[in-house]
Amino acid sequence: MQIDSLAGQENNPFIESNQPVEKTLSIWELITSGGIGGQLIMITLALLLFFALYLYFERLMAINAASKIDINFMNNIKMNILNGKLDAAKMLCAQTNSPVARLTEKGISRIGKPLEDINTAIENAGKLEIYKLEKNVSMLATISGAGPMIGFLGTVIGMILAFHKMASGGGQIEVGALAEGIYTAMTTTVAGLIVGIVAFIGYNHLVVKTDKVVHQMEANATDFLDLLNEPS
């Protein structure tokens, strides 16, 4: 009978259980649990992350657009130049919105001058095109370094808050009172590293894409100069 009574008590839903209830912590609660200092740093990191993503996708679309060119472009330019149709070649370059076309147009406009002058004009135009491609890309490198540093600043602030709580508690401070400083230290560190990693990967990817476009420009410029060196 005693066993049955105990079993009935275990199955009785009206009897309170002394077992602790597990409390889950959402991401939003984790972000906002660091106090005013932690929240300000998290907002700063969120803005940096948004700015980094905007720069990455804006530059990626610009570089992809610059890398697209008709495979028959140089063949058509060669045919027009060999046939003496320089105006038609210039028109074809003007209708093609790409760095390669602009470099070729600059070279065509210098036909008749010494080859060294043509090469110099193409190189100067190429520097301008590279500058356009690399515009604001360096900002991603800056964010990749600044993000973790700002996160570590939050870590230092969080630890200062935690030690201040310990000092003001006279050695009898409870662990729960240190939560704000610990949350600030941990969450800002993670957020800063995330921002830095995203910006670093984005920067290196854009550098690789830009190098491919630069190589494409150099290859087409070499083809154009070789065309001018061909015997008529």
Side-chain angles (χ1 to χ4, degrees):
M1 296 294 294
Q2 185 177 359
I3 296 176
D4 294 339
S5 178
L6 292 175
Q9 291 179 2
E10 291 178 357
N11 297 327
N12 193 340
F14 297 99
I15 297 178
E16 296 183 357
S17 175
N18 294 326
Q19 295 180 354
V21 179
E22 294 184 1
K23 182 181 179 181
T24 59
L25 186 66
S26 64
I27 296 178
W28 176 252
E29 290 174 341
L30 185 64
I31 293 174
T32 58
S33 297
I36 298 298
Q39 292 173 12
L40 290 176
I41 292 178
M42 293 297 289
I43 291 173
T44 303
L45 291 172
L47 293 175
L48 285 178
L49 179 60
F50 174 79
F51 187 52
L53 291 174
Y54 170 78
L55 285 178
Y56 170 73
F57 286 109
E58 188 273 332
R59 285 291 85 200
L60 182 62
M61 290 187 291
I63 294 172
N64 286 337
S67 64
K68 293 180 180 179
I69 187 171
D70 188 1
I71 57 177
N72 296 320
F73 174 77
M74 289 305 300
N75 292 331
N76 294 330
I77 292 293
K78 182 178 180 179
M79 291 178 58
N80 287 324
I81 292 177
L82 294 178
N83 293 328
K85 300 179 180 179
L86 298 183
D87 292 336
K90 290 181 181 179
M91 182 65 66
L92 179 60
C93 293
Q95 293 174 349
T96 306
N97 184 21
S98 70
V100 171
R102 287 188 284 270
L103 293 185
T104 305
E105 183 178 11
K106 181 66 67 174
I108 294 173
S109 64
R110 296 294 192 276
I111 289 180
K113 296 184 178 181
L115 191 62
E116 184 177 353
D117 293 343
I118 299 175
N119 187 27
T120 301
I122 293 176
E123 287 181 355
N124 292 333
K127 292 178 181 179
L128 294 176
E129 293 297 332
I130 294 174
Y131 173 78
K132 293 178 183 178
L133 292 174
E134 295 178 345
K135 180 181 178 182
N136 295 328
V137 174
S138 61
M139 291 296 298
L140 281 176
T142 302
I143 294 174
S144 68
M149 293 178 65
I150 294 175
F152 293 146
L153 174 63
T155 303
V156 174
I157 292 175
M159 297 309 297
I160 290 174
L161 292 175
F163 283 117
H164 176 71
K165 292 285 187 180
M166 294 175 63
S168 61
Q172 297 180 355
I173 188 68
E174 296 181 358
V175 177
L178 304 177
E180 182 174 316
I182 295 174
Y183 277 134
T184 301
M186 295 298 101
T187 55
T188 55
T189 301
V190 173
L193 290 174
I194 291 174
V195 172
I197 291 170
V198 170
F200 181 75
I201 294 175
Y203 170 76
N204 283 279
H205 183 237
L206 292 180
V207 168
V208 172
K209 298 281 289 186
T210 302
D211 288 342
K212 290 182 179 180
V213 178
V214 172
H215 176 73
Q216 186 182 54
M217 289 191 295
E218 292 176 347
N220 283 273
T222 301
D223 291 341
F224 177 78
L225 294 174
D226 291 341
L227 171 63
L228 299 182
N229 280 325
E230 290 181 0
S232 54

